[in-house]
Amino acid sequence: MLLAYDDYGPGPVVVLLHGFPLNRKMWSLQEGRVGSMYRIIAPDLRGHGETAAPPGVYTMEEMAGDVIELLDALQITEPIVLGGLSMGGYVALALIAHYPERVRGLMLIDTRAAADTPEAARNREDLARKAEASGNVGHVVEGLFPRLFSESTRVGHPERVTWLRAAMEKTSPRGVVGALRGMAVRPDRTADLARITVPTLVMVGADDVLTPPDEVRKMAEALPRAKLVVIPNAGHVSPFENPDAANEAILQFLAGPH
Ligand code: MLT
């Protein structure tokens, strides 16, 4: 399906996939630094931002297929560096599993390789039904929002908190439902990690409670060529909460051999 996207900057292509239920503008604080040296392509995944929200379950594989379709439409055939935050990371792992020849470097940010626990999957279905019944995404936002940010972001950057909340609230109920059900059925990709041979940046906010640093560290240890960077003063949306540290880590990684 046709994805809305941003495409800016010179140089090698870096594709950035946003988290749930967000949109491509969550990468706006990467634009100035990373986008001055690399060509950033940031799509709105199906059901999010300005991309359409078809009915149905959005599997991570289907969302990865949408990204490939976009790259094909842009005639980008050379392997890319692919980054994803949280749900974007699930999609990135699905993409590299199915299209390994399209990826030369990976950035897994505030994300995990494991599947949902049965309890987490039930919780998502519950949220999906509530969104369907109410026709709004309020309770999804309420559930997620208090756990997203570090204290330092809440105190030091209230404007970022406000912006992110508005972005979440703009996501359509159908998009939220599709993504919730897709995340609930995503496979466990832990065993895939050992087969990912491209250089990988694993990044996590020091105060991330949704994908905590200890769990993320284990994922990095299972990846043959990973570097772990823990971003201080950041929670689950580390590139948005502490863009200076995150951009530095991303630029260092991108400057390395791929
Ligand atoms: C995200 O930030 O994309 C979500 O927290 C992912 C999830 O719900 O597993």
Side-chain angles (χ1 to χ4, degrees):
M1 86 171 287
L2 213 59
L3 301 182
Y5 64 96
D6 283 332
D7 181 356
Y8 47 78
V13 174
V14 177
V15 174
L16 298 176
L17 307 180
H18 61 78
F20 167 86
L22 289 165
N23 62 60
R24 67 191 197 264
K25 300 297 180 194
M26 64 147 281
W27 301 109
S28 56
L29 301 176
Q30 277 57 66
E31 184 170 349
R33 290 282 328 270
V34 184
S36 69
M37 294 175 69
Y38 294 89
R39 178 179 174 190
I40 294 185
I41 297 175
D44 283 336
L45 296 168
R46 63 171 59 205
H48 295 76
E50 291 172 340
T51 293
V57 176
Y58 305 166
T59 63
M60 302 301 105
E61 286 70 20
E62 207 163 7
M63 292 210 247
D66 293 339
V67 175
I68 292 292
E69 214 177 295
L70 173 62
L71 292 175
D72 288 346
L74 293 172
Q75 296 182 328
I76 295 170
T77 49
E78 75 275 14
I80 55 155
V81 174
L82 177 64
L85 181 132
S86 200
M87 181 183 76
Y90 310 157
V91 176
L93 285 171
L95 193 151
I96 198 169
H98 290 274
Y99 310 93
E101 72 288 354
R102 305 296 292 261
V103 181
R104 67 186 179 90
L106 193 59
M107 301 192 288
L108 298 174
I109 306 171
D110 299 296
T111 192
R112 58 164 56 93
D116 275 1
T117 61
E119 189 196 343
R122 269 198 305 276
N123 197 20
R124 291 203 204 271
E125 180 55 30
D126 198 44
L127 287 171
R129 286 184 190 180
K130 282 190 183 138
E132 281 174 333
S134 67
N136 74 70
V137 302
H139 57 282
V140 176
V141 176
E142 287 317 320
L144 202 53
F145 201 73
R147 308 177 69 209
L148 279 183
F149 294 112
S150 68
E151 185 60 23
S152 45
T153 305
R154 272 195 289 269
V155 174
H157 290 285
E159 77 291 354
R160 289 184 195 160
V161 174
T162 307
W163 184 90
L164 209 92
R165 189 182 178 99
M168 290 170 89
E169 283 170 345
K170 269 197 286 212
T171 309
S172 72
R174 198 147 76 180
V176 162
V177 167
L180 282 168
R181 292 194 170 131
M183 288 191 283
V185 296
R186 76 187 191 280
D188 184 355
R189 297 209 174 270
T190 309
D192 290 5
L193 297 176
R195 290 193 292 272
I196 296 178
T197 52
V198 297
T200 305
L201 172 65
V202 178
M203 194 158 96
V204 63
D207 308 319
D208 186 342
V209 295
L210 290 169
T211 47
D214 278 350
E215 184 182 346
V216 172
R217 183 171 294 115
K218 288 197 189 99
M219 176 170 73
E221 284 165 3
L223 285 155
R225 296 176 68 192
K227 178 181 176 207
L228 173 71
V229 177
V230 180
I231 303 293
N233 301 321
H236 188 61
V237 210
S238 56
F240 186 74
E241 296 186 63
N242 189 345
D244 287 347
N247 288 341
E248 205 47 51
I250 291 171
L251 285 172
Q252 260 192 34
F253 172 72
L254 293 174
H258 288 101

